[in-house]
Amino acid sequence: MRRQCHRLGRRRFIAGAVALPAAGRLVPPRGGVFAAGADRIRVGLVGCGGRGTGAALHAVSAAAGVTLTCMADVFADQIASSIAVLESRTRAACDCPPERRFVGPDAWRQVVEADVDLVILATPPAFRPGHVAAAVQAGRHVWCETPGAVDAAGVHRLATAAATAAARGLSLAAGLARRYDAATAALVDGIRAGTWGRPTGVRLRADLGLPWFRPTRPEWTAADAALRNWISQPHLSGGHLVERHVATLDAALRALGDADPVEARPGVRPDTVRYLFADGRTVDAAFSRRAGGSGRCEELVFCTGGVRDLRPPPTQGGDPLRTAMTGFVAALRAGRRVDDAPWLCRATLAAVVGRDALESGHAVAWPAAPGGPPRSPRPLQSIHS
């Protein structure tokens, strides 16, 4: 992974971000304008764990006429537990009979190629770039969980798929839900506007406990055990920094005006990475998972006129993930294209570069974020307007 990150220079990222696939059949997109909200939106779910089930629940609850029609997972018991939750809460919005519940390593492809409008991708992150590329190739709108990849090559592939989606008018939304939380949006907008002076740096700290773990059963193979505990498998999750903290890094970079850092290097303290920017500003990120972790998190933005916490008190706006999905469905119905890919690529790349700096013990230069965000970015709430 470290070698990949060093080899993928600026020119290659830019070239890959704008190039469309030269091979393969491009299927005309089924999505687009859904007339006056009257048309049915068919949803396919790939990855039936907790996050995938939650995203599907948010989708079918977003509006009338949104229906879950097919599901895929490597393991049949994952589908069974997921459909039980979904049918118990939204039975009328589930039209997913057993013959459309696909099981096995290639089950995801059956959903992508099924008669669906929107595909929710919630498998382990290592599979995300390939699944996004296939979904776009098939002409589907995509909801993609974070992170978008586990290495620089995966980010490059994701950016290429996103460029294809843009060229074809397909939407690609990401699970960067904090971008659609009203309180966070107001705070970040205030920081960027200079309400508390010029932002000079960010400090992120998280001391978390160990992730969930599923005890091995006699009937599982070694591959089964690894997949069922993917969160602790770096080749599947990208490691704890990549898997857990893409959204946090995205919020920090957003607060600093969406400038790309020039490099990441190991910090003074263990488990800390420092991102350096061309104008001298820094983001210090310390992320750890350990037995007995305190669970304490800190997200502070230092401004010339004071310090602001990026984690505002909870509001009555509800679950940001639900808010983001509801806005996404509304945008599809209205024929408005959603494109979270620049933010997803940039935040994922930040996590990957930071991890590589920590693992190597050396500074890692920042390759140009593929398909990077525009210099005058859209408002955070744009998919709802």
Side-chain angles (χ1 to χ4, degrees), residues 172-242:
L172 199 165
L176 295 171
R178 292 178 61 176
R179 284 185 168 266
Y180 305 105
D181 174 70
T184 301
L187 174 62
V188 171
D189 285 348
I191 293 171
R192 290 167 63 103
T195 303
W196 300 281
R198 178 178 179 270
T200 59
V202 181
R203 185 172 73 204
L204 309 173
R205 292 179 182 172
D207 179 32
L208 306 178
L210 295 176
W212 48 263
F213 176 77
R214 296 185 176 94
T216 302
R217 296 181 180 178
E219 65 270 22
W220 292 358
T221 66
D224 290 343
L227 275 174
R228 289 183 181 275
N229 289 288
W230 63 265
I231 196 170
S232 299
Q233 304 292 321
H235 69 289
L236 296 174
S237 70
H240 295 317
L241 190 153
V242 174

Side-chain angles (χ1 to χ4, degrees), residues 60-87:
V60 299
S61 302
V66 183
T67 309
L68 179 71
T69 61
C70 54
M71 308 169 71
D73 199 281
V74 174
F75 304 111
D77 60 303
Q78 288 282 90
I79 293 181
S81 60
S82 180
I83 195 67
V85 170
L86 290 164
E87 287 188 337

Side-chain angles (χ1 to χ4, degrees), residues 1-382:
M1 291 181 183
R2 290 194 295 272
R3 288 194 297 271
Q4 287 173 327
C5 192
H6 284 293
R7 286 201 302 264
L8 287 169
R10 181 180 182 87
R11 292 183 181 177
R12 184 175 172 190
F13 263 94
I14 294 175
V18 299
L20 302 185
R25 181 175 65 92
L26 286 177
V27 179
R30 289 199 72 254
V33 177
F34 293 87
D39 287 356
R40 183 183 180 196
I41 297 180
R42 300 171 179 84
V43 178
L45 172 61
V46 177
C48 299
R51 181 76 285 274
T53 302
L57 180 63
H58 293 158
V60 299
S61 302
V66 183
T67 309
L68 179 71
T69 61
C70 54
M71 308 169 71
D73 199 281
V74 174
F75 304 111
D77 60 303
Q78 288 282 90
I79 293 181
S81 60
S82 180
I83 195 67
V85 170
L86 290 164
E87 287 188 337
S88 68
R89 300 187 185 183
T90 58
R91 180 174 295 276
C94 289
D95 180 19
C96 188
E99 62 268 23
R100 292 203 296 269
R101 302 174 194 175
F102 306 112
V103 179
D106 295 324
W108 65 273
R109 193 178 298 278
Q110 293 175 276
V111 168
V112 166
E113 295 176 354
D115 188 20
V116 296
D117 306 293
L118 166 63
V119 176
I120 296 172
L121 300 177
T123 60
F127 305 114
R128 203 96 72 219
H131 290 177
V132 171
V136 170
Q137 192 88 349
R140 312 304 180 213
H141 298 294
V142 174
W143 171 276
C144 175
E145 287 299 329
T146 63
V150 299
D151 55 21
V155 177
H156 179 266
R157 187 177 186 187
L158 178 64
T160 302
T164 306
R168 308 184 66 212
L170 294 168
S171 286
L172 199 165
L176 295 171
R178 292 178 61 176
R179 284 185 168 266
Y180 305 105
D181 174 70
T184 301
L187 174 62
V188 171
D189 285 348
I191 293 171
R192 290 167 63 103
T195 303
W196 300 281
R198 178 178 179 270
T200 59
V202 181
R203 185 172 73 204
L204 309 173
R205 292 179 182 172
D207 179 32
L208 306 178
L210 295 176
W212 48 263
F213 176 77
R214 296 185 176 94
T216 302
R217 296 181 180 178
E219 65 270 22
W220 292 358
T221 66
D224 290 343
L227 275 174
R228 289 183 181 275
N229 289 288
W230 63 265
I231 196 170
S232 299
Q233 304 292 321
H235 69 289
L236 296 174
S237 70
H240 295 317
L241 190 153
V242 174
E243 186 278 327
R244 179 63 174 80
H245 300 292
V246 166
T248 306
L249 288 167
D250 176 65
L253 294 172
R254 172 69 175 157
L256 293 185
D258 284 310
D260 293 340
V262 295
E263 70 173 29
R265 61 175 58 173
V268 175
R269 298 176 53 175
D271 299 322
T272 302
V273 59
R274 166 163 284 193
Y275 298 89
L276 290 85
F277 294 79
D279 59 4
R281 294 185 295 176
T282 60
V283 171
D284 289 314
F287 300 127
S288 64
R289 276 195 181 275
R290 60 186 179 87
S294 65
R296 295 180 58 185
C297 296
E298 179 181 82
E299 301 177 17
L300 301 180
V301 181
F302 296 90
C303 304
T304 54
V307 180
R308 307 307 302 175
D309 190 339
L310 274 175
R311 301 173 303 134
T315 66
Q316 296 181 350
D319 181 356
L321 283 168
R322 180 184 294 275
T323 301
M325 181 64 82
T326 300
F328 182 38
V329 169
L332 292 179
R333 275 276 170 78
R336 296 193 305 271
R337 182 174 174 270
V338 176
D339 184 14
D340 289 339
W343 319 115
L344 178 62
C345 289
R346 198 264 307 274
T348 300
L349 187 61
V352 166
V353 169
R355 177 206 62 205
D356 290 352
L358 287 176
E359 290 184 354
S360 68
H362 301 290
V364 176
W366 177 263
R375 294 309 175 191
S376 298
R378 63 180 186 167
L380 297 184
Q381 307 96 322
S382 63

